[in-house]
Amino acid sequence: MASVPSLASTVQQRLADALSAALRETGPADPSPRPAGWGDPMLRRSDRADFQANGILALAKKLKGNPRELAAKVVEAIGLNDEIKEIEVSGPGFLNITLTDEAIVRTLAARAADDRLGVAYAENAGTTVVDYAQPNVAKEMHVGHLRSAVIGDAMVQILEFTGEKVIRRHHIGDWGTQYGMLIQFLIEHPHELDHEGVEEVTGEEAMSSLNRIYKASRALFDSDEAFKDRARNRVVDLQAGDPETRAHWQRFVDESKIYFYSVFNKLDMEIHDADIVGESGYNDMLDETCRLLEESGVAVRSEGALCVFFDDVKGPDGNPTPLIVKKSNGGYGYAATDLSAIRDRVQSLGANTLIYVVDARQALHFKMVFETARRAGWLNDKVKAVQLAFGTVLGKDGKPFKTREGATVRLVDLLDEAVERATAVVREKAEKVGLTEEEIVENGQYVGIGAVKYADLSTSAARDYKFDLDQMVSLNGDTSVYLQYAYARIQSILRKAGAVKPAAHPELELAPAERALGLHLDQFGEVLSEVASSHEPHKLAAYLYQLASHLTTFYDQCQVLSADNPPELVENRLFLCDLTGRTLHQGMALLGIRTPERL
């Protein structure tokens, strides 16, 4: 094993490499009889030692040999060195391995010397389009829009950090028959979207105007047949590209963006105009998409509609349920738009991977769309599309989150309440820390929004989760507040240390809590790599919570700034605190959560 660790290698990886080499050395002389998996030590963390290697048992069985004898040969081949302190055969043929304290500290020192904390860039990084945060024009964002935005933003940050080129796409709902009604009303009431005397329109004001127009136009549409006819004709004008109609449609889009941006700003997310390509953005491609599908035989005519059929997709009556690309009346469905978007993202943007952060209830639709794109050749072995499906946000009662009146919860109301609750929590401890009113308000924002995001991201995306603000802003348990306070506590210790600076001392013996903290810190890069490839941000949240828990144990068992400690011990413990703080800060940032310096 190398005595000088590289930035990209963890102690676990170097140990696994050494065990693999020893297995190859002790295996059959002729490589041909070696079974599949030969050389994989199946190394994992253990409560009996630092690591346990389980792979020898299975390999010995495949070779029809004695596992303990094979394990003993591996022990003899690998020996002890400056990184392995103890290695012993346990049970029927496991290996228990304890590393030297020096190996742990030297590895952490190498990571601390790097701005990226030793996190390697992914091999063969490509281009990924992430489709997330998809609100609808002229409609209010509700709790159902939360998960797509939060999960998608975290995946964007994580993928970019690991070296992927990420293209954001917000596929907003900005097209359809309902705009005929809205546009016709605005043409007949041209000042309804004016904001006279207002220097800057707020999101609430923009949404208020849009709600007012929607209610008024709907009432007119339902009561006035002549207006209904004019609205329907206006849809035809919109689809035909009539300049006046498109100009009024654009006013609704622009007004909605003011509102969207205000909500995303509350969520502490950056959304840019260039990334917003809604349904309308693919209009010019729809006809060609349908033509290509029909000419290739992927889609066929059925009762006047252009359809794609699947052997495994059938309705309750047992008959095949097709994906309808073009309706019998000549209109295009969502499938045509989604398939055109795939063509654009693969052929024009050069994407290798398409990630759709979309409600799990749309799983069948996307399964059919992706399979259609594969049949057409737009997706293949080199270009994949995946749905990062998410579950439903539930209330405390375990039912879909609603207001007491049964209405859908407005997203801005939910976020405002979270910030209000969090600010109260921050204010309780503010005097002890000496926070100013400005810091209390700012930290209340960070803690409140962080609480909402973390509650979502700490749950597997595919699962439903209960929205419980009391639990979310708790200082105890698996919450973002717990992690934020852990980070703030570290910064407090570093400030108190004054002129004494963190420094790694590999020559020191580590206490058990220091070893546990150090070994967990060393796994950060591997966790990020796994999260990026599996698209499971909840695993990063779990890692950070475990890190904060190890930190709490370390605080309890290891005095950092004690006058009784030798200087080098103080410096080494400050070093562990500092690296833990940096790892928490980076990990939380990748989840889109701020870490205040004082809390």
Side-chain angles (χ1 to χ4, degrees), residues 137-139 175-189 192-193 210-238 245 248-249 252:
V137 164
K139 289 187 179 179
W175 204 249
T177 56
Q178 70 271 25
Y179 293 103
M181 178 183 78
L182 295 170
I183 293 167
Q184 188 60 37
F185 184 87
L186 189 60
I187 288 174
E188 297 176 13
H189 304 80
E192 285 298 309
L193 277 181
L210 292 167
N211 276 335
R212 185 178 66 251
I213 292 174
Y214 181 83
K215 290 176 181 177
S217 62
R218 169 54 70 181
L220 203 55
F221 187 88
D222 291 340
S223 63
D224 187 331
E225 286 298 322
F227 176 80
K228 182 181 289 187
D229 289 339
R230 294 196 298 275
R232 286 172 172 166
N233 290 332
R234 189 58 61 183
V235 176
V236 178
D237 293 339
L238 176 63
T245 305
H248 281 81
W249 167 83
F252 281 105

Side-chain angles (χ1 to χ4, degrees), residues 123-334:
E123 294 181 9
N124 305 317
T127 299
T128 296
V129 173
V130 182
D131 187 328
Y132 69 109
Q134 311 108 342
N136 296 307
V137 164
K139 289 187 179 179
E140 199 148 24
M141 291 177 69
H142 53 76
V143 68
H145 290 107
L146 177 64
R147 301 205 73 185
S148 175
V150 170
I151 296 169
D153 187 56
M155 280 311 309
V156 166
Q157 304 299 332
I158 291 165
L159 288 168
E160 285 186 333
F161 189 72
T162 54
E164 190 78 359
K165 177 185 176 184
V166 179
I167 300 173
R168 299 157 171 81
R169 278 294 176 265
H170 308 298
H171 192 89
I172 63 171
D174 64 354
W175 204 249
T177 56
Q178 70 271 25
Y179 293 103
M181 178 183 78
L182 295 170
I183 293 167
Q184 188 60 37
F185 184 87
L186 189 60
I187 288 174
E188 297 176 13
H189 304 80
H191 300 296
E192 285 298 309
L193 277 181
D194 294 348
H195 298 280
E196 293 182 9
V198 178
E199 211 171 286
E200 186 175 349
V201 182
T202 67
E204 282 290 309
E205 290 168 340
M207 197 65 241
S208 176
S209 296
L210 292 167
N211 276 335
R212 185 178 66 251
I213 292 174
Y214 181 83
K215 290 176 181 177
S217 62
R218 169 54 70 181
L220 203 55
F221 187 88
D222 291 340
S223 63
D224 187 331
E225 286 298 322
F227 176 80
K228 182 181 289 187
D229 289 339
R230 294 196 298 275
R232 286 172 172 166
N233 290 332
R234 189 58 61 183
V235 176
V236 178
D237 293 339
L238 176 63
Q239 293 174 340
D242 173 64
E244 180 193 20
T245 305
R246 288 298 293 261
H248 281 81
W249 167 83
Q250 188 64 51
R251 290 190 70 187
F252 281 105
V253 173
D254 293 341
E255 193 80 3
S256 298
K257 282 183 179 179
I258 295 171
Y259 166 69
F260 295 158
Y261 289 168
S262 72
V263 178
F264 290 127
N265 187 54
K266 280 181 183 288
L267 269 171
D268 200 14
M269 284 174 51
E270 284 191 17
I271 302 289
H272 303 286
D273 268 0
D275 303 326
I276 297 177
V277 184
E279 296 167 5
S280 64
Y282 304 101
N283 280 342
D284 294 342
M285 299 179 66
L286 300 181
D287 183 62
E288 184 180 22
T289 295
C290 292
R291 179 179 61 78
L292 291 171
L293 290 171
E294 188 168 15
E295 287 178 355
S296 64
V298 172
V300 296
R301 295 283 173 177
S302 176
E303 299 180 17
L306 186 62
C307 304
V308 181
F309 288 91
F310 310 86
D311 292 338
D312 58 343
V313 181
K314 296 180 180 178
D317 57 1
N319 294 321
T321 300
L323 180 71
I324 300 175
V325 184
K326 192 173 185 178
K327 302 171 187 176
S328 57
N329 65 3
Y332 298 101
Y334 288 124

